[in-house]
Amino acid sequence: MSPLLRARRVLTEQGWLDDHQLRIESGAVAAIEPILAGVTTRDAELLCPAYIDTHVHGGAGVDVMDDAPDVLDTLAMHKAREGVGAFLPTTVTAPLEAIHDALVRIARRARSGGPGAQLLGSYLEGPYFTPQNKGAHPPELFRELDIAELDRLVAVSQDTLRVVALAPEKPGALQAIRYLKQRGIRVMLGHSAATYRQTLAAFDAGADGLVHCYNGMTGLHHREPGMVGAGLTDKRAWLELIADGHHVHPGAIRLCCCAQDRVVLITDAMQAAGMPDGRYTLCGEEVTMQNGVVRTGSGGLAGSTLSLDAAVRNMVEYAGVTAEDAIHMASLHPARLLGVDGQLGSLAPGKRANIIALDGGLHLQQIWIQGQALPL
């Protein structure tokens, strides 16, 4: 007998289905069907696709760059507890050898599997940035784009490198974008002083969107729309968004929803996520978390402590989007960005049974990874 999960409402790409059940076989959704008349038990109020966090540096006291045992296992379990079924561990600007080592560790864990959320590969954030909007990245470690160097990074990652972030105004950026796209790697633009036209040229070359929209880039001005203006108005661009109310004002979050079909909710979470206030590290520098907000010594924001389930709730509260649309921004949209929507990102027969149960307030009640319930 196939396991059944029954809910008052099930979310699919086509919308909500009332009083439906999921039939699970061999780690996949085998069928979505109405609950038989007379069956009154329900396993959940809402059954939805598990979230996908495409941009996360750490949490639960660990950092993706840490060369220590069980770091990625710890992070994978931490992500699962916020409803994330799959994620991309994200590197930071660091010496090239340290980045290589991190990519090797991520590749090994992605191929071997393990507890918690599934690793889909790696996201390279830095070192191909420019200083003007550096954020917490150390500019002395920024590097010029070089195809041979990129080729080496892909090789070191054992072809598990999924996303590369870069500044589109750097010399050789358009050539690098075209090279990466030929390798099936997504390219996001950020930590940059690029103009509107330079950003559009990068989209023309194949770039996929903006790294944490608004943050680390030229902002929207009525005579120079900048990177933000290019991303908001170009229908080819995916928009990563840190919907915590600190990185992006609720009013700007609402503005971003003019392109809500292209919004990808991310956490950009770092080591301090899920931890008490105190001192932590990011990009090799000491940072301080106070009231859940992490800042560098100079007062700049240094990653977030956001959870993806909170980001979904925030979109409903701050932007007034429907629960359905907010959930898609954390599941279907990231799957489409990464090109894995044939397997993940929504509930449909044949897709992986990465499922979350939510209550009416969109708080996580349970998560299943490939049909297996995880302890929360």
Side-chain angles (χ1 to χ4, degrees):
M1 191 72 176
S2 303
L4 290 175
L5 298 176
R6 298 185 177 100
R8 297 195 185 280
R9 304 181 84 196
V10 173
L11 182 61
T12 70
E13 288 187 43
Q14 291 72 40
W16 293 103
L17 300 175
D18 292 338
D19 294 312
H20 271 61
Q21 63 190 20
L22 302 180
R23 191 177 298 276
I24 311 300
E25 292 180 0
S26 303
V29 176
I32 303 176
E33 53 202 17
I35 298 171
L36 294 176
V39 178
T40 58
T41 58
R42 300 291 183 268
D43 300 295
E45 179 72 19
L46 307 175
L47 284 175
C48 307
Y51 302 137
I52 301 171
D53 194 350
T54 60
H55 186 151
V56 55
H57 298 284
V62 302
D63 188 295
V64 168
M65 302 300 290
D66 291 344
D67 184 9
D70 302 327
V71 162
L72 294 174
D73 285 350
T74 299
L75 183 56
M77 285 303 299
H78 171 72
K79 298 309 292 183
R81 293 186 183 104
E82 60 189 58
V84 172
F87 71 110
L88 293 182
T90 304
T91 63
V92 295
T93 298
L96 203 56
E97 183 178 357
I99 293 172
H100 282 181
D101 290 346
L103 294 179
V104 169
R105 291 191 297 272
I106 294 167
R108 185 182 305 126
R109 177 58 166 74
R111 295 190 185 284
S112 67
Q118 297 175 304
L119 273 68
L120 298 178
S122 52
Y123 183 135
L124 186 81
E125 189 185 8
Y128 304 113
F129 295 145
T130 49
Q132 187 170 323
N133 292 298
K134 62 183 177 61
H137 292 256
E140 66 275 11
L141 294 178
F142 289 167
R143 300 177 65 85
E144 295 307 307
L145 286 157
D146 177 80
I147 298 300
E149 185 168 294
L150 292 173
D151 194 59
R152 177 64 179 152
L153 287 164
V154 175
V156 163
S157 80
Q158 300 169 47
D159 291 315
T160 62
L161 182 58
R162 298 288 174 252
V163 181
V164 170
L166 56 83
E169 76 273 28
K170 289 186 76 71
L174 301 185
Q175 180 187 7
I177 291 167
R178 286 188 283 265
Y179 164 79
L180 291 165
K181 293 295 292 183
Q182 287 170 359
R183 300 296 301 265
I185 296 168
R186 276 43 180 176
V187 179
M188 303 296 282
L189 310 176
H191 291 292
S192 162
T195 64
Y196 176 82
R197 289 188 178 278
Q198 287 171 321
T199 308
L200 289 184
F203 292 147
D204 289 341
D208 294 277
L210 299 184
V211 180
H212 41 56
C213 184
Y214 296 108
N215 298 109
M217 63 187 62
T218 47
L220 180 65
H221 186 275
H222 59 284
R223 284 191 294 273
E224 169 45 59
M227 295 183 73
V228 172
L232 289 176
T233 58
D234 193 312
K235 293 183 180 180
R236 298 170 293 183
W238 291 100
L239 306 173
E240 293 183 356
L241 186 65
I242 309 171
D244 61 358
H246 305 296
H247 282 76
V248 183
H249 187 280
I253 290 175
R254 289 192 291 274
L255 177 61
C256 202
C257 286
C258 73
Q260 74 176 41
D261 289 344
R262 298 184 279 113
V263 170
V264 173
L265 295 178
I266 63 165
T267 62
D268 195 26
M270 48 80 70
Q271 182 186 56
M275 301 293 286
D277 282 354
R279 295 185 177 183
Y280 297 91
T281 59
L282 182 66
C283 297
E285 299 295 322
E286 187 175 276
V287 296
T288 302
M289 180 168 71
Q290 186 172 1
N291 298 321
V293 180
V294 184
R295 296 189 181 275
T296 63
S298 61
L301 289 168
S304 89
T305 59
L306 182 65
S307 66
L308 207 52
D309 60 328
V312 168
R313 294 191 296 273
N314 288 346
M315 291 303 296
V316 175
E317 178 183 353
Y318 296 158
V321 303
T322 66
E324 172 186 343
D325 286 335
I327 292 166
H328 285 332
M329 291 175 188
S331 54
L332 182 59
H333 296 187
R336 285 176 172 167
L337 165 62
L338 297 178
V340 296
D341 50 309
Q343 307 170 53
L344 295 169
S346 64
L347 300 180
K351 288 195 175 186
R352 204 174 297 173
N354 284 10
I355 304 162
I356 51 175
L358 305 176
D359 66 16
L362 304 183
H363 292 89
L364 183 69
Q365 304 295 296
Q366 183 62 59
I367 183 169
W368 293 264
I369 306 291
Q370 291 189 286
Q372 298 299 309
L374 267 65
L376 297 179

